[in-house]
Amino acid sequence: MRYTLILSVLAAGLLATACAPADPLGKISADEREFLFAGIDTNAAFLGQPGDPGPLACNPQRMNQGYVLMDEETGYWLDSIRPSGIERHKVLTVEPIEKGYEVKGKNGVGVTFSLIIEQTGDETASISWDGAMPEEYLRCPGMPA
């Protein structure tokens, strides 16, 4: 009886561990996380203007596209900034790849996507949404969390 109880507890523990959700950021380092997410009380926005060769700026009103990765109590999120407004997407995983990071997520209607972020400098990144032509973005830290 005692062994059955011990085995039952061990089996329940193993099952709980196996079924626990994996950390979506578990494959990236603290420095990589800092580049993508900034800090605990702040975020980093990646702002750009695809198709426009003009200078990049940390001014959302001048840029026509942007992305903000956020770590919140409810999970990891990606806000996609467009002139028409902000769309929020659920981040499923962030994985290192040869040229940077692949952010896999799901939009509000359940369609999955892939955002490729390649760090091209201390404050710049080349970003591609679902394999589209990569565009240059400026990393703008200090966005409110």
Side-chain angles (χ1 to χ4, degrees):
M1 178 73 169
R2 182 186 309 169
Y3 295 113
T4 304
L5 180 60
I6 292 172
L7 288 176
S8 296
V9 169
L10 286 174
L14 286 173
L15 184 60
T17 302
C19 294
D23 178 10
L25 307 183
K27 295 181 180 178
I28 62 174
S29 71
D31 287 342
E32 292 168 327
R33 182 184 171 117
E34 177 74 22
F35 178 77
L36 295 170
F37 286 84
I40 295 172
D41 297 323
T42 186
N43 294 309
F46 293 90
L47 299 176
Q49 48 190 7
D52 185 341
L56 297 174
C58 286
N59 179 346
Q61 295 174 340
R62 282 193 50 218
M63 302 294 98
N64 62 15
Q65 192 166 324
Y67 301 101
V68 182
L69 288 157
M70 293 176 286
D71 178 357
E72 297 182 348
E73 288 182 16
T74 57
Y76 299 104
W77 301 94
L78 171 72
D79 279 358
S80 178
I81 305 165
R82 302 283 188 273
S84 59
I86 297 174
E87 295 177 13
R88 177 157 277 200
H89 309 290
K90 177 77 175 159
V91 172
L92 303 175
T93 63
V94 178
E95 298 180 2
I97 58 173
E98 183 180 342
K99 291 188 171 189
Y101 317 99
E102 181 176 18
V103 178
K104 293 180 183 177
K106 188 181 287 190
N107 69 15
V109 294
V111 177
T112 58
F113 65 87
S114 175
L115 187 74
I116 305 296
I117 302 174
E118 178 184 355
Q119 184 173 353
T120 56
D122 289 340
E123 298 302 324
T124 57
S126 176
I127 299 179
S128 169
W129 181 277
D130 267 346
M133 179 65 106
E135 298 279 352
E136 197 69 18
Y137 286 77
L138 185 62
R139 181 180 179 273
C140 303
M143 303 296 279

